[in-house]
Amino acid sequence: MTVSLDTPVNSGGGEGVARIKRALQRTGGFIGKMARNPLTAIGGGIIFLLLVVAIFAPLIAPYNPLVQDLNNALTAPNAQHWFGTDEFGRDIFSRLVYGSRITLYIVLLVSVTVGPLGLLLGVTAGYFGGKVDMVLMRVTDIFISFPSLVLALAFVAALGPGLEHVVIAITLTAWPPIARLARAETLSLRQADFISAVRLQGASPVRVLWRHIVPLCLPSVIIRITMNMAGIILTAAGLGFLGLGAQPPEPEWGAMISSGRTYMMECWWVVTIPGLAILINSLAFNFLGDGLRDILDPRSM
């Protein structure tokens, strides 16, 4: 057996390198499209900064966020305490830095649970229709009929305070809009010619959903989840403000506002700084969601 010298010896490695190059090019093009929108670039930059702060919190925070120093209680912002101190003398900047971890923990955990749940229920209802659609959508309508914060309060009151219970409560209130969106996308896709062709080839409903419909619904679902992250932050802060989220002395932003509201008239920084953190990060997720919609939604092109 002879081997031609012109035959590539390791074509698999070359194909792998080509795939990596194509992935890098697509990623670079995606980032370039986002950077061309000023608001999207600002939102993405703030979220990236939030991630960096959360990851490197022990290196960034100058003080321990839980250690009290009553001699420095309610100190105004100065060179030692950039954002001042709270009623127990704890550095507000350090508490904000560590509080970013709690906020990201809630946002990311809710997002990775509510996305698959809403997508699964939505595509199932839209594809099978009939009684399956009716039952799933009536359950969805029941959840949507209540304000999300009120429903989250009810779930947390039943489960008890705590971060894990907050995540469960917000997940149970955030999936219905995603399910309705996925159902609408599926209804427009299930009668398409290529779906009919796949069925004629003998593909099972599970294969049709998993290989053909779910990938086409993902862009819209990702956009919706990104835009929902602002609502997740606000709901988590609201629950923390009411004492149902992270428990003292954890530096959760909503709980910081709740504990400082007694002193807000004389010491504005105690509630203003955490409130600005919630506002800025909520706006950042909204800006990023708008940019993703412009890039990923083909109907907006």
Side-chain angles (χ1 to χ4, degrees):
M1 178 178 180
T2 60
V3 179
S4 173
L5 296 177
D6 296 332
T7 302
V9 177
N10 188 11
S11 59
E15 292 177 359
V17 172
R19 290 196 196 97
I20 294 174
K21 288 182 178 179
R22 288 194 296 269
L24 291 176
Q25 289 174 353
R26 287 194 295 268
T27 303
F30 182 79
I31 295 175
K33 290 179 180 178
M34 293 184 62
R36 285 194 287 270
N37 187 328
L39 291 180
T40 304
I42 292 172
I46 293 173
I47 294 171
F48 177 76
L49 180 62
L50 180 67
L51 288 170
V52 172
V53 168
I55 293 171
F56 299 103
L59 302 177
I60 296 174
Y63 300 94
N64 188 316
L66 305 181
V67 173
Q68 300 181 10
D69 183 7
L70 297 179
N71 293 326
N72 289 321
L74 299 175
T75 300
N78 54 43
Q80 288 75 35
H81 302 281
W82 297 345
F83 294 162
T85 62
D86 63 8
E87 67 274 19
F88 296 109
R90 297 172 296 195
D91 183 63
I92 292 179
F93 174 75
S94 299
R95 290 178 64 78
L96 281 180
V97 169
Y98 276 89
S100 64
R101 289 185 163 185
I102 298 176
T103 299
L104 280 179
Y105 170 81
I106 295 174
V107 168
L108 294 178
L109 199 55
V110 170
S111 299
V112 300
T113 53
V114 77
L117 176 62
L119 181 61
L120 174 64
L121 295 177
V123 297
T124 301
Y127 184 80
F128 290 102
K131 292 183 179 179
V132 175
D133 183 30
M134 183 183 66
V135 171
L136 292 178
M137 286 303 101
R138 294 300 76 76
V139 174
T140 303
D141 291 340
I142 292 172
F143 278 85
I144 290 180
S145 64
F146 295 94
S148 59
L149 181 57
V150 174
L151 195 58
L153 280 171
F155 283 124
V156 174
L159 297 172
L163 278 181
E164 291 76 14
H165 295 165
V166 167
V167 171
I168 295 172
I170 298 177
T171 300
L172 292 174
T173 60
W175 67 265
I178 297 174
R180 292 185 69 89
L181 176 63
R183 173 182 177 269
E185 295 279 344
T186 304
L187 287 175
S188 64
L189 290 171
R190 69 177 184 177
Q191 301 300 332
D193 293 338
F194 72 96
I195 296 295
S196 300
V198 171
R199 289 200 199 98
L200 290 175
Q201 292 175 357
S204 64
V206 174
R207 182 178 178 83
V208 173
L209 288 173
W210 179 251
R211 295 293 300 273
H212 301 281
I213 292 180
V214 168
L216 293 174
C217 294
L218 273 179
S220 299
V221 171
I222 292 173
I223 295 168
R224 181 72 190 198
I225 291 174
T226 305
M227 301 189 73
N228 277 359
M229 288 179 179
I232 294 171
I233 292 176
L234 294 174
T235 303
L239 294 174
F241 180 85
L242 296 173
L244 298 174
Q247 298 301 296
E250 292 296 324
E252 198 272 327
W253 295 345
M256 290 172 63
I257 296 176
S258 177
S259 63
R261 71 184 186 276
T262 306
Y263 314 96
M264 63 182 296
M265 300 304 296
E266 299 83 10
C267 307
W268 56 268
W269 59 88
V270 180
V271 297
T272 302
I273 301 299
L276 286 175
I278 296 171
L279 172 65
I280 291 171
N281 286 283
S282 298
L283 285 176
F285 279 111
N286 277 329
F287 291 159
L288 182 62
D290 287 338
L292 290 176
R293 180 185 59 196
D294 295 339
I295 295 171
L296 297 178
D297 190 352
R299 291 169 294 185
S300 65
M301 295 181 175

